[in-house]
Amino acid sequence: DTEVTQTPKHLVMGMTNKKSLKCEQHMGHRAMYWYKQKAKKPPELMFVYSYEKLSINESVPSRFSPECPNSSLLNLHLHALQPEDSALYLCASSYYRESNQPQHFGDGTRLSIL
Amino acid sequence: DAKTTQPPSMDCAEGRAANLPCNHSTISGNEYVYWYRQIHSQGPQYIIHGLKNNETNEMASLIITEDRKSSTLILPHATLRDTAVYYCIVRVYNTDKLIFGTGTRLQVFP
């Protein structure tokens, strides 16, 4: 059982829709991450938040907009996505940035863009 | 960035030990080796990590060679539920980046 909870598990949206992905953890972790995973490929880092502030943006297009309202929650706002954005979006957390402690992942949101 | 090389697939009989190798010949002295696995339709699951000493936990053992250029993940008694893609990752020093390689697809058979 994962201690990082992601909702929804599945999402289908049109290219003009606006939707949000949600991630929650109650382990007291202060670093949170968004990854994107295409089919049959390994996960790739998108964003890193540390103490609720954006620390890393891996040159992600602006149609993806992350938000960290508090230390337990991480959102990913989606707008005007393209079909190639269809993927599994994974959230992870760790005690703090640049720690050697492992990142813990949720089970992801499977996103399909029509 | 240190890269990892893993065999694309391996088979293991249920109840036997599964030994998954990983090469990381360009690893730096302060970079850790992490192992994760991903079962179909789930997120990556942390297994174990280490720097230079061998490590063991309730899931697995990690053996790192003395020169740190390779490591082996050992699942002592594989079960069907251990069928998954196993990723060996070298953590880039002082950053958040987990750079996943292509992994090893382990198939445990009855």
Side-chain angles (χ1 to χ4, degrees):
Chain A
D1 291 340
T2 180
E3 296 178 82
V4 177
T5 304
Q6 292 187 244
T7 54
K9 292 191 183 305
H10 302 275
L11 179 61
V12 180
M13 57 186 286
M15 289 189 285
T16 58
N17 292 157
K18 286 184 180 181
K19 296 285 185 183
S20 297
L21 310 185
K22 180 179 172 182
C23 174
E24 194 166 1
Q25 58 86 16
H26 295 287
M27 295 179 282
H29 291 175
R30 303 312 300 267
M32 296 186 77
Y33 311 80
W34 281 114
Y35 287 80
K36 174 181 178 180
Q37 185 175 24
K38 299 284 282 183
K40 299 189 187 302
K41 298 290 187 184
E44 294 180 344
L45 183 66
M46 299 174 71
F47 300 105
V48 179
Y49 271 83
S50 176
Y51 291 87
E52 295 122 66
K53 293 204 181 328
L54 183 65
S55 300
I56 293 178
N57 177 340
E58 289 286 309
S59 302
V60 179
S62 59
R63 57 185 183 269
F64 295 91
S65 175
E67 178 198 20
C68 191
N70 61 56
S71 60
S72 300
L73 278 176
L74 186 65
N75 298 320
L76 186 62
H77 303 297
L78 314 172
H79 174 54
L81 294 195
Q82 303 298 308
E84 60 266 26
D85 297 322
S86 297
L88 180 67
Y89 289 85
L90 295 160
C91 174
S93 69
S94 65
Y95 277 106
Y96 55 91
R97 278 197 66 201
E98 302 170 6
S99 159
N100 290 318
Q101 292 303 305
Q103 296 178 20
H104 295 271
F105 286 80
D107 282 338
T109 294
R110 191 163 298 280
L111 177 65
S112 298
I113 307 300
L114 300 179
Chain B
D1 299 347
K3 298 289 190 293
T4 61
T5 304
Q6 298 176 254
S9 63
M10 293 182 65
D11 291 336
C12 179
E14 190 176 21
R16 304 297 294 270
N19 297 292
L20 291 89
C22 180
N23 286 320
H24 31 78
S25 58
T26 59
I27 193 170
S28 298
N30 50 14
E31 290 179 323
Y32 281 70
V33 179
Y34 293 77
W35 283 84
Y36 283 77
R37 71 181 183 185
Q38 190 169 23
I39 297 169
H40 183 61
S41 298
Q42 296 182 16
Q45 178 189 23
Y46 165 75
I47 302 173
I48 200 167
H49 74 286
L51 181 62
K52 55 179 73 173
N53 297 323
N54 298 337
E55 302 286 346
T56 296
N57 63 21
E58 64 279 3
M59 288 183 68
S61 295
L62 173 60
I63 308 298
I64 301 174
T65 58
E66 192 167 341
D67 63 8
R68 301 188 71 242
K69 293 182 183 228
S70 65
S71 60
T72 300
L73 178 74
I74 301 172
L75 307 178
H77 305 287
T79 71
L80 298 177
R81 296 172 67 175
D82 291 322
T83 292
V85 177
Y86 286 77
Y87 293 104
C88 168
I89 301 163
V90 172
R91 178 80 167 263
V92 180
Y93 173 67
N94 211 30
T95 77
D96 301 278
K97 283 196 173 185
L98 289 180
I99 301 177
F100 287 77
T102 51
T104 295
R105 184 171 298 277
L106 176 68
Q107 179 70 52
V108 180
F109 58 91

